[in-house]
Amino acid sequence: MQIAFLVAPEGVEQVELTDPWQAVKDAGDTPVLVSTKPGEIQAFNHLDKADTFPVDRTVADTSAADFGGLVLPGGVANPDFLRMDDKAVAFVRDFFEAGKPVAAICHGPWTLVEADVVRGRTLTSWPSLRTDIRNAGGEWVDEQVKVCGARPSTLITSRKPDDLKAFCETFTAEFAKASG
């Protein structure tokens, strides 16, 4: 099964991309890097530039139908750029409309807020997103990982890099359930 990782051309928190990417590979699935522009994305270690990664597909050249699930890594700038791109927001919304599982960590839920898919859901994130999530109709909780199995898509969220182990174990198990 192919799993989409949606990231902006720059600003993704590297460990929030690489650890879940490896977890998808370890689960026997195929991670695919999707961005708003072709070429490479620039990852960051907090505010410092880190590695670059090749883009596999752009949001303009693919759709949710091509994937079994979606992962939204964080980083402060990454989801802020994504939520300003109509095609990226529509790509995220399409996963929910198709009933496919979505996982987001740290600041990743900002893109979910913009896609208007948190209403009636319970999720977690980096604490500074709490008000945005509540204003968008979601319930924010301070938990390491939160699974919200509400209609029709399962949403798995996590707070921060320290939660990555639990996040990766949880979302890969939920993605496997959804494909089975």
Side-chain angles (χ1 to χ4, degrees), residues 13-151:
E13 185 70 27
Q14 183 161 314
V15 71
E16 293 176 7
L17 171 63
T18 57
D19 282 15
W21 186 277
Q22 187 61 51
V24 165
K25 289 174 73 173
D26 291 348
D29 292 322
T30 304
V32 178
L33 190 63
V34 179
S35 190
T36 57
K37 295 180 181 173
E40 293 185 329
I41 62 106
Q42 175 67 61
F44 282 75
N45 290 326
H46 193 54
L47 299 175
D48 299 321
K49 283 187 176 180
D51 297 325
T52 59
F53 298 90
V55 172
D56 296 312
R57 299 186 199 165
T58 66
V59 290
D61 298 326
T62 195
S63 74
D66 298 332
F67 302 99
L70 172 65
V71 177
L72 296 169
V76 177
N78 176 53
D80 198 45
F81 288 133
L82 290 175
R83 66 186 180 158
M84 297 301 294
D85 186 288
D86 292 340
K87 288 180 181 166
V89 172
F91 184 71
V92 170
R93 191 178 305 112
D94 289 348
F95 278 85
F96 285 87
E97 290 173 358
K100 296 184 178 190
V102 175
I105 186 166
C106 201
H107 288 79
W110 257 342
T111 312
L112 301 174
V113 167
E114 191 65 33
D116 195 24
V117 295
V118 302
R119 188 172 318 282
R121 293 180 173 272
T122 303
L123 58 156
T124 193
S125 67
W126 185 256
S128 66
L129 276 66
R130 173 181 49 233
T131 301
D132 296 324
I133 290 167
R134 288 179 178 157
N135 287 343
E139 179 184 343
W140 186 86
V141 294
D142 185 11
E143 296 178 15
Q144 188 177 38
V145 178
K146 180 64 182 171
V147 177
C148 183
R151 77 297 166 268

